[in-house]
Amino acid sequence: MSDEQLVEVSLTVNGRPVRERVRSDLTLLQFLRGQLGLTGTKEGCRQGECGACTVLVDAKPVNSCILPLLAVAGREVLTIEGLAHDTALDALQKAFVDEGGVQCGFCTPGMLMAAKGLLLSNPTPSEEEIREGLSGNICRCTGYRKIVRAVQVASGQASPVEVVARADHSVIGHKVARRDAPDKVTGRAMYADDLRMPGMLFGKALRSAHAHALIHGIDCRRAEKSPGVVAVLTAADIPGHNRYGVAIADQPALADDKVRCVGDAVALVVAESEEAAAQALPLIEVDYQELPGVFSAEQGLRPDAPCVHGDTNLLQHTKVRKGDSDAAFLEAEEVVEGSFRTQPIEHAYLEPECSVAVTDHAGNLTVWTSTQYVFRDRRQLASVLAMPANSIRVVQMVTGGGFGGKDDVTTEILASLGAVKTGLPVKVRFDRAESMRATTKRHAVAMKVRLGADRDGKLLALEAEVYADKGAYASLGGYVIKKLGLHLSGPYFVPNIKVDTYSVYTNNPPGGAMRGFGVVQAGFAHESLIDMLADRLGLDPWEIRYRNALAPGLSTGTGHVLQTSVGIKATLSEVRDYLDANPLPPSDQTGPGAR
Amino acid sequence: MKKRGVGYGCMMYAMGYGFGRPDSSSASLEIAEDGTVTVLCGCADIGQGSTEMLALVAAEELGIRPQDVRVLTADTLMTPDAGCTSATRQTYVSGNAVRKAASIVLASLLEVASEMLSVEPAGISLANGVVLYDGEATDLTVPEVANRARSTGRQCTAMGLFNITTPDVDPETNQGDAYATYTFASQAAEVEVDTETGEVKVLRVVAAHDVGRAINPLGVEGQIEGGVAMGVGYALIEKLQLEEGWPLTPSFAEYLLPTVMDVPPVVSIIVEDEEPTGPYGAKGVGEPATIPTAPAIINAIHNAVGIRVFELPATPEVVLGLLREKGTS
């Protein structure tokens, strides 16, 4: 960047005057994080949609990720680092800590600044005004309730959470503020993208242009000559086994023979800046031969379906066989049936995936990353890099949510390939669109389920066929769909069960672990059916559940006879008692419900 | 017109990997000469609060204050392998691993304390940093005992392993004792359906969760409230739109998530049906928190307006379509 393209900008940041020569196209967020090293302000989407980057400009909350720096020249910027008064936390920060308003912490700085802006303009906002004021800030962990409560406490409108010490000196069972919360409310918590190292390079992957295609060749020569590019890697640069995966190693780190979904990494550009890497990506020429694809489980099982891997798309068929369901259905006085479909969804943790990798002179590799399991990352790195496991160190940085999506390798292998190739530290981080395109989803499933009962609503039999869209790679999908099948009878005793689940490869983004691990889908089916059964039999939906609920001495869908800690009936009773004692106030716009 | 309804959702969730998959955790624990404790455990805290949980377990077992425990997590060079943060397993598995390590160091401390007090170890316990004898506080403190233990070369560091790898199920029938233990929950959702727009507003969710024992009830509530929010998204809002394998919703402008405006009040009820093999009876709560919410909402919609949603999410268009089919709109 030549000097002419730099402009001088003056502003006040956290009470201190700042004057810098900067690129004219910088955003406020890039300036704060990159130039000033104020990494407490987070980047969640780069599109002004999630609010993680919220700072105050002249006491008003703004999304710093889309705000040009030059627009704030001469103005006062307050970031999370400036919120505490010397060492004393601001009342909002303290309330977020004490009330449990902090979990992964990635939305926290932005949420706090939005709340601060609100309280500066309205010191005692109503609950509705608090919600309004925070409506531009997404939190994926807390469900917002404790955040709203924290703002009420900080504004003196609610009393702080009560901590009652137990007589027996026990430290278990009290409400306790988390020890990681103070760092998270002050912007000190270090996430992977907050790491800066001398000489650090940036890696960016070229993603597949097709959902299913053969690769006949990759020409990197133009990309290699692009300004700032240090190396361009393809599958040929992988020292070890070019396949990884949590359950089955079926996913290439960089595509070799073919691409199986649009999220496949085809090549990796390592450059002096993220922009330089991005500019080189379109210069890579890939000779694809497009193949027909499969985009649903049902399609994938057709005899003429193109195969994603090998000669069948069926990854796994799991059978659950308990008792004699055919005979039981003949006896059943009432049978209900439903075809249920669920959608793929995104984990949407607020922190996009990021890793920084570096090698030392002895050939050891260290990877700092956002992950759910460092040892499995190490195992997969060792295999792809052909390195002994004990020469690889994987360190989890503060992680901004996972929900199953960071079970899998995300950026770890790419950053490590770059570091091994160049001998320099390499950071790889996904932006939101790349995260959506390349990482696992909750499985879309189609479930055909029948449930039979006697006249009193006693469950007799369950039968199901489940087809799961596995996407292009196994990830944990076989286990997820198996767990779905094993849980289709829910918390109820069902003596006769016949379930078949099929995990089917397609050219969609891979399905993987996501909070609930198949049981979310199972729950949608069994809970809908048991209500349908209650309707049919004229029974109360609570009553039919209670009558069939598991208890010590009864068996689960896998025939596991439970002995202890079977709290389903207690939870049912608690919910009903609460509803009976605390009816919602009626709304005058509301007509009567069906019941 | 707006119509209200209530619906139930219940669930059972098996904890841990089950059916023969390797499933264990390990942790190490050291007490320093001043009585402060360092726990090393591979357990990754991804926001759910496991690090605080591990500190509380160590403090409880050793009878010291939680602020005297420091926890280092998830570093392959420094910490023992705790398995993955998944399957709602870390409180159960890593909580037990830390408790086991702490119990070995505790035995050593009790022995040293009995020598210092010249009494039988059987009557000694530690609580709140103080040595008790027959339940009564003595003048001896845990730091003094730790200091003596260190200076006389006694065991002040220990490793704990907890392994819940279960036998595999029958491959043909999948029958067997598939998992170590199970959590249970019931939620009720109360909704208001706008019959003109198809919009569903969740008014309240009452959520009762059998967590075995709540190590940190504030954390358990946080998990339940967050799980309900995610369940609201799954039931009503979220969908990754795909066309020929391409996401059509690549950003948060198109992929909509629940905001603070969408999330209902949540009444969290913690049920503690203790699991004898859990640390202090604890099981877990992370995934179960979100499982019953979507079906509870779907059942509440049916209760309100008599339509049955078979395909998620129940967006206003879907609800309106079903209402028209039913001819009640």
Side-chain angles (χ1 to χ4, degrees):
Chain A
M1 183 86 18
S2 68
D3 268 2
E4 298 87 79
Q5 288 162 288
L6 299 180
V7 293
E8 189 169 280
V9 64
S10 301
L11 65 159
T12 306
V13 177
N14 298 333
R16 292 212 313 269
V18 174
R19 180 189 285 186
E20 296 260 354
R21 286 180 70 76
V22 297
R23 276 171 42 176
S24 58
D25 60 346
L26 274 194
T27 64
L28 175 57
L29 180 66
Q30 288 169 327
F31 178 70
L32 291 171
R33 288 181 58 85
Q35 208 110 349
L36 300 186
L38 294 174
T39 55
T41 305
K42 300 304 176 199
E43 179 175 320
C45 73
R46 281 186 226 178
Q47 289 175 311
E49 295 290 344
C50 77
C53 65
T54 305
V55 299
L56 299 188
V57 174
D58 293 342
K60 298 264 181 320
V62 298
N63 286 319
S64 64
C65 73
I66 49 170
L67 188 65
L69 174 62
L70 297 185
V72 300
R75 300 170 72 181
E76 267 187 53
V77 174
L78 185 71
T79 73
I80 190 70
E81 290 90 347
L83 190 55
H85 319 286
D86 296 322
T87 55
L89 295 183
D90 183 84
L92 271 169
Q93 290 171 310
K94 185 173 179 328
F96 268 59
V97 172
D98 292 344
E99 298 300 314
V102 180
Q103 288 191 26
C104 87
F106 202 79
C107 78
T108 305
M111 194 71 81
L112 274 165
M113 297 318 289
K116 184 69 184 176
L118 171 67
L119 293 191
L120 285 174
S121 66
N122 179 2
T124 53
S126 67
E127 180 175 340
E128 216 32 55
E129 287 168 332
I130 295 173
R131 286 164 167 260
E132 198 69 52
L134 301 180
S135 61
N137 291 71
I138 294 171
C139 170
R140 192 57 156 167
C141 297
T142 67
Y144 305 99
R145 305 304 308 175
K146 295 195 185 304
I147 290 172
V148 171
R149 174 93 189 164
V151 178
Q152 290 172 325
V153 170
S155 55
Q157 304 186 90
S159 42
V161 66
E162 256 184 70
V163 178
V164 185
R166 289 164 70 129
D168 58 2
H169 302 299
S170 174
V171 299
I172 297 232
H174 313 285
K175 292 188 174 183
V176 179
R178 304 159 52 137
R179 55 195 53 217
D180 54 341
D183 277 349
K184 287 174 173 174
V185 298
T186 51
R188 286 196 190 99
M190 290 286 284
Y191 298 78
D193 192 29
D194 301 334
L195 287 173
R196 298 277 183 281
M197 283 178 203
M200 186 168 81
L201 305 174
F202 296 83
K204 215 154 183 43
L206 176 71
R207 299 286 164 188
S208 173
H210 303 284
H212 201 194
L214 294 173
I215 295 180
H216 292 308
I218 305 175
D219 186 345
C220 303
R221 284 171 296 179
R222 284 177 63 212
E224 280 162 354
K225 291 185 197 119
S226 186
V229 169
V230 178
V232 182
L233 287 78
T234 65
D237 295 290
I238 290 175
H241 180 51
N242 185 20
R243 290 292 183 277
Y244 69 96
V246 181
I248 302 170
D250 65 353
Q251 187 160 5
L254 293 170
D256 39 34
D257 55 337
K258 66 174 191 170
V259 286
R260 296 173 185 83
C261 65
V262 298
D264 276 355
V266 176
L268 177 73
V269 175
V270 182
E272 287 161 6
S273 69
E274 217 171 21
E275 294 75 24
Q279 278 161 12
L281 290 180
L283 305 178
I284 299 170
E285 287 163 29
V286 186
D287 181 6
Y288 292 108
Q289 180 192 334
E290 232 186 306
L291 298 171
V294 286
F295 301 104
S296 72
E298 293 93 326
Q299 218 185 333
L301 287 180
R302 286 184 198 143
D304 59 343
C307 285
V308 182
H309 299 264
D311 56 7
T312 172
N313 289 320
L314 181 62
L315 169 68
Q316 189 167 305
H317 171 201
T318 298
K319 293 180 273 187
V320 185
R321 301 286 184 269
K322 180 185 182 187
D324 183 347
S325 68
D326 291 345
F329 271 110
L330 291 176
E331 277 173 38
E333 281 150 307
E334 202 58 76
V335 175
V336 289
E337 183 172 334
S339 291
F340 302 90
R341 282 186 171 272
T342 69
Q343 76 279 35
I345 73 163
E346 175 68 25
H347 301 83
Y349 25 74
L350 262 278
E351 181 209 19
E353 303 78 357
C354 182
S355 304
V356 178
V358 63
T359 53
D360 68 12
H361 284 287
N364 298 312
L365 171 76
T366 302
V367 187
W368 294 271
T369 188
S370 176
T371 183
Q372 294 180 215
Y373 189 13
V374 288
F375 286 88
R376 189 164 58 210
D377 293 343
R378 184 182 73 172
R379 186 185 84 205
Q380 303 198 62
L381 284 163
S383 157
V384 172
L385 298 168
M387 287 173 73
N390 74 348
S391 67
I392 299 171
R393 177 183 186 186
V394 182
V395 184
Q396 186 212 11
M397 298 298 289
V398 177
T399 294
F403 312 115
K406 294 172 183 172
D407 257 18
D408 287 82
V409 158
T410 58
T411 43
E412 292 84 358
I413 292 176
L414 294 175
S416 300
L417 285 170
V420 168
K421 176 86 174 180
T422 63
L424 288 166
V426 174
K427 177 185 281 188
V428 173
R429 58 173 196 162
F430 292 167
D431 62 22
R432 188 55 63 180
E434 191 171 14
S435 176
M436 290 260 191
R437 182 170 173 178
T439 65
T440 61
K441 314 296 164 212
R442 180 179 285 161
H443 290 83
V445 302
M447 305 175 281
K448 198 171 173 196
V449 194
R450 294 168 73 205
L451 187 61
D454 70 12
R455 190 164 300 142
D456 299 326
K458 195 175 138 212
L459 301 179
L460 297 176
L462 179 138
E463 220 172 71
E465 274 185 13
V466 177
Y467 296 91
D469 180 349
K470 180 71 259 31
Y473 298 103
S475 173
L476 275 155
Y479 294 133
V480 174
I481 303 310
K482 181 170 178 173
K483 192 160 190 174
L484 189 168
L486 302 189
H487 281 69
L488 259 172
S489 53
Y492 309 112
F493 173 63
V494 182
N496 303 288
I497 296 176
K498 182 180 176 211
V499 171
D500 291 270
T501 67
Y502 303 90
S503 287
V504 185
Y505 281 126
T506 69
N507 296 108
N508 284 327
M514 182 174 178
R515 196 178 198 175
F517 210 83
V519 187
V520 173
Q521 293 93 325
F524 173 44
H526 64 67
E527 288 308 281
S528 298
L529 286 170
I530 202 158
D531 254 39
M532 289 160 69
L533 202 53
D535 248 15
R536 204 70 84 68
L537 290 163
L539 283 171
D540 180 79
W542 185 92
E543 185 61 37
I544 192 170
R545 286 176 167 83
Y546 196 83
R547 277 185 202 174
N548 288 288
L550 284 167
L554 295 176
S555 63
T556 67
T558 72
H560 189 171
V561 180
L562 301 178
Q563 305 295 349
T564 55
S565 195
V566 191
I568 182 63
K569 283 190 172 176
T571 62
L572 268 167
S573 298
E574 289 281 352
V575 172
R576 189 190 56 183
D577 292 350
Y578 186 89
L579 290 177
D580 287 350
N582 303 278
L584 280 176
S587 142
D588 38 300
Q589 314 160 325
T590 306
R595 203 172 264 125
Chain B
M1 197 201 288
K2 288 180 180 170
K3 290 190 169 185
R4 280 189 181 180
V6 59
Y8 277 93
C10 295
M11 70 108 230
M12 176 189 84
Y13 184 82
M15 290 173 53
Y17 302 138
F19 44 85
R21 294 176 64 200
D23 196 346
S24 66
S25 173
S26 45
S28 76
L29 181 147
E30 179 233 5
I31 191 160
E33 56 287 345
D34 61 357
T36 62
V37 164
T38 305
V39 172
L40 307 179
C41 183
C43 169
D45 196 333
I46 54 174
Q48 82 280 25
S50 54
T51 300
E52 185 62 43
M53 176 275 297
L54 296 176
L56 292 171
V57 167
E60 179 77 4
E61 190 67 17
L62 287 169
I64 60 174
R65 302 177 310 167
Q67 59 264 45
D68 291 329
V69 181
R70 186 171 180 188
V71 184
L72 176 73
T73 60
D75 176 340
T76 58
L77 196 64
M78 309 294 285
T79 64
D81 190 352
C84 190
T85 295
S86 59
T88 310
R89 61 187 286 285
Q90 288 293 11
T91 296
Y92 182 59
V93 187
S94 290
N96 265 321
V98 167
R99 188 182 184 190
K100 210 158 168 182
S103 72
I104 296 168
V105 170
L106 175 67
S108 171
L109 295 177
L110 293 179
E111 199 178 276
V112 173
S114 83
E115 291 163 17
M116 292 173 81
L117 291 170
S118 306
V119 296
E120 286 300 307
I124 299 181
S125 58
L126 310 181
N128 227 350
V130 173
V131 180
L132 312 182
Y133 185 67
D134 277 348
E136 296 291 320
T138 68
D139 290 339
L140 194 61
T141 66
V142 173
E144 287 165 343
V145 177
N147 190 40
R148 174 69 66 90
R150 297 288 297 214
S151 61
T152 54
R154 314 292 275 270
Q155 179 161 22
C156 290
T157 302
M159 197 74 193
L161 171 79
F162 190 71
N163 185 358
I164 58 162
T165 307
T166 53
D168 203 356
V169 291
D170 180 285
E172 278 308 302
T173 64
N174 274 284
Q175 294 298 292
D177 294 352
Y179 297 92
T181 184
Y182 303 82
T183 65
F184 298 89
S186 301
Q187 295 184 0
E190 292 163 283
V191 305
E192 194 167 82
V193 183
D194 186 324
T195 56
E196 264 115 64
T197 64
E199 209 171 313
V200 177
K201 186 175 179 201
V202 184
L203 303 173
R204 181 169 70 178
V205 171
V206 180
H209 285 257
D210 168 23
V211 302
R213 176 101 184 266
I215 304 281
N216 180 4
L218 191 64
V220 172
E221 282 176 15
Q223 287 297 300
I224 293 173
E225 290 167 11
V228 167
M230 216 176 247
V232 169
Y234 193 51
L236 301 177
I237 303 168
E238 293 181 44
K239 180 176 187 175
L240 183 81
Q241 302 269 7
L242 290 168
E243 191 179 292
E244 305 261 288
W246 286 91
L248 301 181
T249 49
S251 82
F252 290 157
E254 301 96 14
Y255 186 91
L256 300 184
L257 291 160
T259 73
V260 68
M261 307 305 273
D262 302 306
V263 171
V266 177
V267 179
S268 300
I269 301 170
I270 296 174
V271 171
E272 295 186 315
D273 191 335
E274 294 189 13
E275 165 55 43
T277 60
Y280 306 100
K283 296 192 283 190
V285 70
E287 293 172 275
T290 201
I291 294 168
T293 310
I297 291 170
I298 297 304
N299 285 336
I301 294 172
H302 181 266
N303 182 239
V305 293
I307 57 164
R308 173 76 36 209
V309 175
F310 287 101
E311 185 166 348
L312 297 180
T315 59
E317 299 75 57
V318 168
V319 171
L320 215 49
L322 289 169
L323 281 170
R324 292 213 173 104
E325 249 174 58
K326 188 172 168 268
T328 58
S329 188

